[in-house]
Amino acid sequence: MIEELLVYTGLGLIALGAFAQLVSGIGVNRFRNFYLRLHAATIGSIWGCVYPIAGAGLVALGYKELGPYSTFMAGAAFVTSFLVLILSPAGSHALARAAHKTRQALVEPCVHDALDPSMCVRGGGS
Amino acid sequence: MFVQEFIAAVVPLYLVATALYLYRALKGPTIPDHVLGVDLLSYNLAVLFIVLGIFFKEPILIVTAIPLALWIYALDIYVAKYLERRVMGA
């Protein structure tokens, strides 16, 4: 009974992760500015990567046909999802900071930029 | 159990997302956009590794996802450090 429960929740998380990756893929292409694309990127990396990998770990726990290595695969999957959960925000923040400090991408749809008002392109579209 | 059929139905969605990320990774006007596209491609690849590791019942595939997750972070930090200080952190 517990195996089915684990497998179903894991598969559900993997399916939700696939949907999240699609949402993030569309968002990364439709947003106009780099800083907006960061929002879409964090969807792709947290909801689209951490949850499916944790779900795959659950599936590995409950899926008995994997043989003796099922718990090993579950452990590796949980470690990977924890690593991505910790490292992904730090990496994207470092990237955004570098992009802002070196003026790589102007803040286009901007109301007020406290860090560097000259970067703020006022009235850049809706 | 219908795990194999379910995963076979879900994997094409990940491949569509990979195509979308590849477009942004190639087109991205600024350097951070390229890096963002590559990041998302690699995250998507990490998920594919693990889901296919279960699909093919191959434990070694899951082990490859851990260094890939670390490399994505390293790429972000190297590019950020290079952009700011024009020097690649050792």
Side-chain angles (χ1 to χ4, degrees), chain A:
Chain A
M1 176 51 201
I2 192 69
E3 276 80 14
E4 278 82 16
L5 193 65
L6 285 175
V7 168
Y8 289 147
T9 46
L11 290 179
L13 284 175
I14 290 175
L16 277 175
F19 175 69
Q21 296 277 1
L22 283 181
V23 166
S24 172
I26 293 167
V28 155
N29 285 315
R30 282 203 43 93
F31 283 142
R32 286 192 310 278
N33 190 353
F34 166 69
Y35 303 103
L36 295 178
R37 285 183 207 120
L38 277 175
H39 295 296
T42 40
I43 290 178
S45 63
I46 299 295
W47 180 24
C49 183
V50 169
Y51 281 110
I53 292 180
L58 290 179
V59 167
L61 275 179
Y63 189 39
K64 277 310 161 221
E65 291 162 27
L66 289 183
Y69 291 110
S70 69
T71 48
F72 164 77
M73 292 162 87
F78 289 133
V79 163
T80 310
S81 70
F82 179 72
L83 274 180
V84 173
L85 184 68
I86 297 296
L87 295 179
S88 154
S92 59
H93 179 270
L95 197 64
R97 187 187 116 109
H100 192 273
K101 277 186 74 150
T102 58
R103 311 177 74 83
Q104 295 280 339
L106 290 182
V107 183
E108 194 205 327
C110 161
V111 176
H112 171 62
D113 187 337
L115 282 177
D116 186 352
S118 68
M119 289 269 284
C120 181
V121 178
R122 201 167 299 282
S126 59

Side-chain angles (χ1 to χ4, degrees), chain A residues 14 21 28 37 56 80 97, chain B residues 14 21 24 33 54 66 84:
Chain A
I14 290 175
Q21 296 277 1
V28 155
R37 285 183 207 120
T80 310
R97 187 187 116 109
Chain B
Y14 283 104
Y21 293 145
R24 174 51 60 188
D33 282 316
I54 289 178
I66 298 178
E84 276 190 37

Side-chain angles (χ1 to χ4, degrees), chain B residues 37-66:
Chain B
V38 170
D39 276 358
L40 290 167
L41 273 174
S42 312
Y43 282 132
N44 203 3
L45 186 62
V47 176
L48 269 180
F49 271 147
I50 290 182
V51 168
L52 292 181
I54 289 178
F55 181 73
F56 293 121
K57 301 188 179 68
E58 189 60 55
I60 204 62
L61 262 178
I62 293 193
V63 173
T64 59
I66 298 178

Side-chain angles (χ1 to χ4, degrees), chain B residues 58-81:
Chain B
E58 189 60 55
I60 204 62
L61 262 178
I62 293 193
V63 173
T64 59
I66 298 178
L68 181 62
L70 296 174
W71 263 111
I72 300 165
Y73 175 66
L75 170 73
D76 280 350
I77 297 303
Y78 280 140
V79 169
K81 194 166 175 57

